[in-house]
Amino acid sequence: MEKKDLLTKGKAKELYRTSDDSKLIMDFTDDTSAFDGKKIEQLAGKGTVNNRFNNFIMKYLDSKGIACHLLDELSDRESLVLSLDMFPIECVVRNYAAGSICKRLGLEEGMKFENPIFEFFYKDDDLGDPMINDNHIVAFGWANREDIKILEGLTLEINKHLLELFDSADLILVDFKLEFGKNNNKIFLGDEFTPDGCRVWDKETKEKLDKDRFRLGLGDVVKSYQEIAYRIGINLNKP
Ligand code: ADP
Ligand code: UDP
């Protein structure tokens, strides 16, 4: 597969066109950003960890019947993915209170919810990724009611599978963000599932092992991502 020109440079990944119009190469860089791109640093080795991490999770979800964009792992940092027409929406699910919901609703971090809470956000750094609901999405023509139902259903189903996986590794899956897109009218999970886009705590000590370490300046960011990977059985050395 020939790697062609750069299609998009995001905050943590680069997407390249290939000789096949329907496929893209996703390059996980070491760039790490927080606060809608206001804090940016390079963390050596993060791209490789996230590429392998994401591929493990997407293969796991695929085995549970969830259609994911991953096609092949090409190198330490690069994977081949299906080109998707992305919804400009972030699908977030929360099992415990943390991050923006604590500020918004005055909740104490760590409160366990009676049921997972699903939320939509509009993907726009300049606006600070504002929370939106189904009516905004339909009114702006980003997705129809049927697709919205599918996005919510898929996110909650993925949460069920990942809660099991993380729980079996004595980890708490606090919350996470997903992005979906369409190819030939079918919805696929796109983008990534890595510690950059979720919150994971040690079950016993409640130690934060995800990107909050970067946001809060706690250090050992990549080491913590490696720890999560090791505990859920990801071999970071071999694809
Ligand atoms: P951000 O968009 O948050 O700055 P990223 O570095 O994660 O950060 O950028 C990756 C971009 O690629 C995002 O805009 C995402 O929506 C997009 N994307 C992810 N998967 C696909 C895909 N399969 N096809 C097309 N675009 C994708
Ligand atoms: N998240 C993300 N990208 C974003 C916004 C949120 O990956 O642009 C993830 C974040 O890491 C967390 C979950 O989505 O796991 C919920 O994030 P929250 O709304 O609490 O926002 P935050 O306070 O983390 O910005």
Side-chain angles (χ1 to χ4, degrees), residues 36 90 92 94 98-101 103-104 119 121 129 175-177 196-199 212 215:
D36 301 313
E90 298 183 337
V92 168
R94 303 176 188 276
S100 72
I101 198 170
K103 283 188 213 130
R104 194 173 353 117
E119 296 172 340
F121 292 85
D129 292 347
D175 60 25
F176 59 86
K177 182 265 303 180
D196 267 0
C198 64
R199 288 193 170 91
D212 270 350
R215 293 189 185 95

Side-chain angles (χ1 to χ4, degrees), residues 9-226:
K9 180 166 172 44
K11 296 189 296 297
K13 304 189 291 296
E14 290 169 353
L15 282 182
Y16 291 86
R17 289 194 181 83
T18 68
S19 37
D20 181 338
D21 279 351
S22 68
K23 295 172 185 169
L24 301 171
I25 291 176
M26 183 170 262
D27 186 339
F28 288 75
T29 68
D30 289 345
D31 296 347
T32 314
S33 81
F35 312 119
D36 301 313
K38 288 182 199 85
K39 175 174 176 176
I40 299 177
E41 271 173 43
Q42 293 257 317
L43 298 175
K46 197 202 67 161
T48 302
V49 173
N50 276 5
N51 185 36
R52 297 253 154 88
F53 197 109
N54 182 58
N55 292 352
F56 177 92
I57 296 287
M58 291 215 172
K59 279 185 202 153
Y60 175 78
L61 291 174
D62 212 66
S63 77
K64 305 283 180 190
I66 309 273
C68 300
H69 71 161
L70 176 70
L71 297 171
D72 198 8
E73 185 162 304
L74 300 177
S75 71
D76 284 358
R77 281 183 17 182
E78 294 166 309
S79 289
L80 190 67
V81 300
L82 199 59
S83 176
L84 301 179
D85 193 5
M86 300 299 288
F87 296 102
I89 296 167
E90 298 183 337
C91 298
V92 168
V93 67
R94 303 176 188 276
N95 299 305
Y96 292 76
S100 72
I101 198 170
C102 292
K103 283 188 213 130
R104 194 173 353 117
L105 298 175
L107 306 179
E108 195 173 323
E109 184 179 85
M111 171 190 168
K112 188 176 192 298
F113 299 129
E114 293 294 325
N115 52 271
I117 297 176
F118 177 82
E119 296 172 340
F120 282 120
F121 292 85
Y122 172 38
K123 198 172 149 58
D124 188 311
D125 285 336
D126 293 340
L127 298 175
D129 292 347
M131 193 163 93
I132 49 172
N133 67 28
D134 304 21
N135 296 319
H136 298 100
I137 295 171
V138 175
F140 304 149
W142 292 333
N144 59 36
R145 298 263 174 212
E146 199 185 319
D147 287 346
I148 289 172
K149 260 207 153 86
I150 296 174
L151 296 179
E152 177 168 354
L154 283 172
T155 305
L156 290 170
E157 194 185 337
I158 289 169
N159 185 48
K160 202 182 71 193
H161 295 308
L162 295 184
L163 271 173
E164 265 177 41
L165 178 69
F166 282 79
D167 185 63
S168 68
D170 287 334
L171 295 166
I172 298 175
L173 182 59
V174 174
D175 60 25
F176 59 86
K177 182 265 303 180
L178 300 176
E179 293 181 33
F180 294 87
K182 273 189 169 178
N183 179 289
N184 270 335
N185 233 21
K186 182 178 171 187
I187 296 181
F188 288 82
L189 174 63
D191 206 52
E192 64 177 293
F193 183 99
T194 70
D196 267 0
C198 64
R199 288 193 170 91
V200 176
W201 299 342
D202 179 85
K203 208 191 267 180
E204 196 68 38
T205 64
K206 308 289 187 300
E207 187 187 9
K208 297 180 199 303
L209 298 169
D210 53 80
K211 199 165 83 173
D212 270 350
R213 299 199 68 83
F214 175 71
R215 293 189 185 95
L216 303 169
L218 299 175
D220 288 336
V221 180
V222 177
K223 207 171 139 209
S224 296
Y225 288 19
Q226 286 165 334

